[in-house]
Amino acid sequence: MPDESRNAETRPSPDALLDHAEREERGRLRIFLGAAPGVGKTYEMLMSGRARLTDGIDVVIGIVETHGRKETQALVEGFEVIPRSQVDYKGRTLNEMDIDAILARRPALVLVDELAHTNAPGSRHPKRYLDVQEILTHGIDVYTTLNIQHVESLNDVVAQITRVRVRETVPDSIIDQADDIEIIDLTPDDLIKRLREGKVYFPNTAQRAIENYFSPGNLTALRELALRRTAQRVDEQLLNHMQAHAIPGPWAAGERVLVCVDARPGGAARVRYARRLADRLRAPWTALHVDTPRSAVMSEEDKDRLATLLRLAEQLGAEVTTIPGQNVAQDIVRHATANNFTHIVIGRPTRSRWRELIEGSLTYDLIRNAGDISVHVISGTDRGTEPTSRSVKAATEQTQFEVWPYLKATAYVAGSLAFAVLLDQFLDVRNLAIIFLIGVLTSAVTGGLWPALYACLISALAFNYFFLEPRYTLTIQDPESIVALAVFLVVAVIASNLTARVQRQAVAARSRARATEDIYLFSKKLAGAGTLDDVLWATAFQIASMLKLRVVLLLPENGTITVKAGYPPDDTLAEADIAAARWAWEHDRAAGRGADTLPGAKRLYLPLRTGRTAVGVVGLDNDKQGPLLTPEQQRLLDALADQAAVAIERIQLVADVDRAKLAAEADRLRSALLTSISHDLKTPLAAIMGAAGTLREFAPALPEQDRTELLSTVLDESERLNRFIANLLDMTKIESGAMEPNYAFHYVGDIVGSALQRARKIIGEHKTEIDIPQNLPMLKLDPVLFEQVLFNLLDNAAKYAPPGSTIRLRGWADNGSVILQIMDEGPGIPPADLERIFDTFYRVRKRDQVRAGTGLGLSICRGFIEAMGGTIAAANRTDRSGAVFTIRMPVPAEPPPIGDQNGGDPRMDEPNTDDPNTGDLA
């Protein structure tokens, strides 16, 4: 055994060797990590790439964003740059990294900027880090850049510090896969100086950034996050190196705390001390339990105490580890040195002096064998602080007497007797005793200890009666035979005891494996559950099937506790049960059957709690009398309830986030609506009132032309007001889901002509060009909704395009769709507004001479088009300045009915052909 322990300590870790072999098969990844934009990550990556290029390494640029910085642009020169691929997205052409070209070129090293970038829809991978992973699998090294705010696990922390939620993130596994992490550090003052000098953003943008995101406090906090995350990865690399090369630890390059947890009193004090020590050292910590053969014979109280202490350590943030072992002190030291722990927390000796002399002392053995590891001996033994007391009475495990194991043991001994009788004439009588041991051991394996002891007794009697002289009596004549019989009894008892112990351990191991598998499957089921009903049903079914009990689950609702799920289904509770459930919820303690509080209830009610709060109550009952759960079942229920509580809290937190988003959106819409109404209602009303008042007071004195202009003003502003109210009503229908298109087959050119006729006053100062072929396929749509879409788009074009410019409408068929484009010659759409231009109440910043809008028109266009099964996209013209809106409508598979070109819709019976703008449609 000492040789095996010594070999285990000097043998490299198989996991570390496997990880090293996997890294050898792929390319190396180096991440240039920065605390914020502008610290010089891309610059440093290019400098490192240029150094490798000078060394004769084949280096290419996959993608680098210079952001207009001259120093960065100068470094790009001299590299081979892989041409970017072009992806068409909503009428725009986006440039992305061409991963196929990189793999075909197969350089030794590729430089990839902005690891957290989101690729354009239609790319091979949705995220750039997935492109990098594919490149690495082909054996190509990658240099890349990343800001600390893009790390997934730190997303909430960064949002809390900067009050900005970063949407583009990379999983922490990417950091863990990196072979090298180079921190690019810059003090907050130097970075702010670079911002003021315009080396990061343009001056106007830089000033806003300094006032918000790039404040000195934010930069200091982000800088600490970057340094700590890098140190964490370096610590993992050091540990992996030590394990791969079988280097005995610890190397005190970083602090790590290990607390030893067992069933002795004072465990809670040790766990809490380890947490405080880890906080002071800012170090990770682990709670370790060594599972020895003695663990199988622990009392139920000790098992409860151990399970509770491990749960306490997990709730306090420890990594809980259980390892098998024989010598606890050696196993603890071996685990600590293998994992580079620098501190061990252990309790003081509790045995008496004479027991320590006989059995040894774990604390003293650990101190002697710890080597360079610091050992902290904690003296806390106050039982009153142990969180192990249960307020629920445990059911006693009823073990009924079974006669079958004893009958089987009798049969095994009888078989051994028959075999011994056959061999009696060939073997010495003392050798026949070994045959009876076969029956004893078989009884121990199949029936356990007591049937094995019974087999020992009848085997001894049979051996004496049939084989010891004088035969067929229970007397023994030869003294040597007495010794042989005594030795046989001793050997049989010892062998049966050992065999029964192994049998018990095997049964317990199978039971634990089965329970572990069930809990693992339960956790997978909870992880995949997307609704609260799914989580509750899975929880009720799992508890009922594993504990053989009836289960109800209650959650808070409207200030009380109500039944939400049950297995078998049951939603009726007696008054005593309702009172017990409410008490368990309000006081966060068990109540009801078998508990100290309200024991008259039919069910036992236990709170479902997380580390944050209680989330519900579980009720249990069966048809038997007395307490419900054995100590083993209570520990199993604790494991199931912890997982269920976390899953319920997760679902509730998601629902809270959704409600918060809806409330924020409602507040935004309400504010925008009030702002829009206050302006867009007041402006036309003021114009109408002014014109009407002038006509009433001064009509006789006004020339005919002035009176006509005033009347036109009244009519125009009334129409504007009418359009605004119609837009509000349409938007209300869209938001409520009450929009139901009245489908019919129509030629899109007819609807275009009707929309031009309706908008003739709005576009009167503009030229119109229509290019719509007469052979376009018929579309199945609602003509009134489609006309409103075209009207809103024409109105939008007239607002932004200068007078005398041309508004062009053109259509064509393309791959089972009809595409219609409306183009103007205005200033175009700012790139930052392209994604939000269809949002409700969102208005692009306009010039002074552009008349105000409501921010509803384009949102209504998108709602109407999507309701009819089409899509609409906004982009800027490539041939000149101006915006272009593209509508794509699917061509129906079924042909239109003959003789019903307008689908029987009376609203489209009379096409507008009188308007000169529609002359091209004839």
Side-chain angles (χ1 to χ4, degrees), residues 290-580:
V290 180
D291 191 8
T292 64
R294 292 186 179 182
S295 302
V297 296
M298 284 194 305
S299 65
E300 295 298 338
E301 181 182 359
D302 289 341
K303 291 180 179 178
D304 277 348
R305 182 183 295 110
L306 176 61
T308 306
L309 289 175
L310 293 177
R311 290 180 64 201
L312 174 64
E314 188 173 11
Q315 291 173 356
L316 293 179
E319 178 185 352
V320 177
T321 303
T322 300
I323 60 173
Q326 296 288 338
N327 188 308
V328 178
Q330 291 182 4
D331 292 328
I332 292 174
V333 173
R334 187 178 301 116
H335 183 82
T337 55
N339 293 276
N340 204 31
F341 285 98
T342 56
H343 298 268
I344 297 178
V345 178
I346 191 70
R348 72 173 180 84
T350 57
R351 295 173 180 172
S352 60
R353 182 61 60 86
W354 67 270
R355 286 192 60 188
E356 289 184 359
L357 294 175
I358 297 175
E359 301 178 5
S361 170
L362 170 62
T363 304
Y364 294 146
D365 291 344
L366 190 60
I367 293 174
R368 280 192 293 268
N369 298 325
D372 295 331
I373 304 175
S374 301
V375 179
H376 303 250
V377 181
I378 307 304
S379 61
T381 58
D382 185 9
R383 292 178 177 266
T385 64
E386 297 290 320
T388 58
S389 60
R390 291 188 180 271
S391 59
V392 179
K393 297 179 181 178
T396 57
E397 299 189 29
Q398 301 293 336
T399 56
Q400 297 180 351
F401 177 77
E402 296 183 359
V403 70
W404 283 108
Y406 295 91
L407 294 178
K408 290 181 180 179
T410 303
Y412 296 146
V413 174
S416 300
L417 175 61
F419 191 49
V421 170
L422 294 176
L423 298 178
D424 183 26
Q425 54 185 331
F426 303 107
L427 299 177
D428 184 73
V429 66
R430 288 185 292 271
N431 295 329
L432 296 177
I434 300 176
I435 299 175
F436 283 95
L437 284 178
I438 299 175
V440 173
L441 295 179
T442 306
S443 301
V445 171
T446 59
L449 178 61
W450 291 108
L453 295 178
Y454 166 74
C456 290
L457 177 61
I458 63 175
S459 295
L461 294 176
F463 181 63
N464 181 15
Y465 187 81
F466 288 100
F467 299 104
L468 295 182
E469 299 292 341
R471 298 195 177 193
Y472 309 115
T473 65
L474 296 179
T475 60
I476 301 176
Q477 181 178 357
D478 189 359
E480 292 184 0
S481 299
I482 297 177
V483 175
L485 181 62
V487 171
F488 168 76
L489 274 173
V490 172
V491 172
V493 170
I494 294 175
S496 62
N497 190 14
L498 292 176
T499 306
R501 177 183 297 180
V502 172
Q503 189 257 359
R504 285 198 307 269
Q505 292 176 352
V507 171
R510 286 196 298 269
S511 177
R512 285 196 300 268
R514 186 167 53 252
T516 301
E517 182 181 6
D518 290 340
I519 293 175
Y520 170 70
L521 294 176
F522 177 53
S523 65
K524 288 184 61 178
K525 190 182 300 182
L526 291 181
T531 64
L532 183 60
D533 289 339
D534 293 341
V535 171
L536 296 178
W537 169 255
T539 301
F541 175 78
Q542 193 72 25
I543 295 176
S545 61
M546 293 188 70
L547 299 182
K548 311 301 180 189
L549 298 171
R550 291 190 291 269
V551 180
V552 293
L553 294 172
L554 303 92
L555 298 183
E557 185 178 60
N558 298 327
T560 185
I561 196 88
T562 58
V563 177
K564 292 296 183 181
Y567 189 86
D570 187 5
D571 57 357
T572 58
L573 296 180
E575 290 296 330
D577 285 83
I578 295 175

Side-chain angles (χ1 to χ4, degrees), residues 676-677 680-681 720-728 854 856:
S676 180
I677 289 176
D680 296 297
L681 281 181
R720 178 182 173 188
L721 186 60
N722 182 61
R723 290 196 301 271
F724 174 72
I725 295 174
N727 283 341
L728 287 178
T854 63
L856 290 174

